[in-house]
Amino acid sequence: MSPDDTPDDDDDDNNGDEPDTVEELEKPEEPEEPEEPFVPLGSEELPTLPANEPIDAHAAIARSLYSAPGLPRVLRKEARAFFDGAMYAYTEGDLPGARLSFLAVAAIGDPDTAPAAMVFLGVIAYRRRDAPEARMWFTRAASGPDQHWALVATGELRRLG
């Protein structure tokens, strides 16, 4: 083997480590496009209410949670991931961990997972013997658009008395 036959670092081996041509050197890498634009929570304007309409706190919270038909898919996925983690923690008996994940789901406000998260938050609060917090979560879930979880929450409110 002659010295000319030995491979060196600047050969066109094109193994993907370094650019080998001038065009590759001059061409800037294009950043990947995000799936959807990032919209910080709470950055959208709230709906305006007539000045003489009383504001029911639970209705206002429910309206803020469920007024998101255009919730970005990324947030929906994140809510689903938090919900799945919360259910795992709940079934394993880790109530503090489940509570934190359910709180994240409720804060994101995904209409597919938030109603169930609010019911489970109420159950966890009840198991901690915190009846006022349990009543708050059950009331929020009962005022939401998901009929199944609203019915479950209403039944739990009746049991609380």
Side-chain angles (χ1 to χ4, degrees):
M1 182 183 235
S2 70
D4 293 334
D5 293 340
T6 59
D8 54 71
D9 291 336
D10 56 312
D11 261 355
D12 287 335
D13 59 354
N14 203 8
N15 61 5
D17 295 332
E18 297 178 3
D20 292 323
T21 64
V22 175
E23 293 81 23
E24 288 178 7
L25 286 172
E26 293 175 355
K27 182 178 163 186
E29 290 185 28
E30 296 179 17
E32 291 183 22
E33 292 291 323
E35 291 180 15
E36 294 181 14
F38 175 72
V39 178
L41 291 177
S43 65
E44 297 175 359
E45 292 185 29
L46 295 175
T48 56
L49 297 174
N52 58 357
E53 181 181 330
I55 299 174
D56 178 17
H58 293 294
I61 291 169
R63 188 172 52 247
S64 71
L65 287 176
Y66 299 112
S67 65
L71 190 67
R73 187 175 57 209
V74 172
L75 284 180
R76 286 182 179 268
K77 288 180 182 179
E78 192 170 321
R80 187 70 211 174
F82 273 116
F83 185 82
D84 291 343
M87 289 305 297
Y88 180 79
Y90 184 84
T91 57
E92 293 294 315
D94 179 14
L95 296 184
R99 182 175 182 274
L100 288 174
S101 292
F102 283 132
L103 284 169
V105 174
I108 292 171
D110 176 33
D112 296 333
T113 53
M118 288 187 271
V119 169
F120 278 101
L121 283 165
V123 170
I124 291 170
Y126 183 75
R127 289 180 68 181
R128 290 187 346 220
R129 304 202 189 322
D130 188 352
E133 184 178 336
R135 185 171 284 108
M136 175 193 69
W137 286 115
F138 291 138
T139 303
R140 289 180 181 181
S143 66
D146 189 308
Q147 292 180 355
H148 170 76
W149 291 108
L151 184 62
V152 171
T154 302
E156 294 298 321
L157 283 169
R158 286 189 188 122
R159 283 187 346 135
L160 283 175

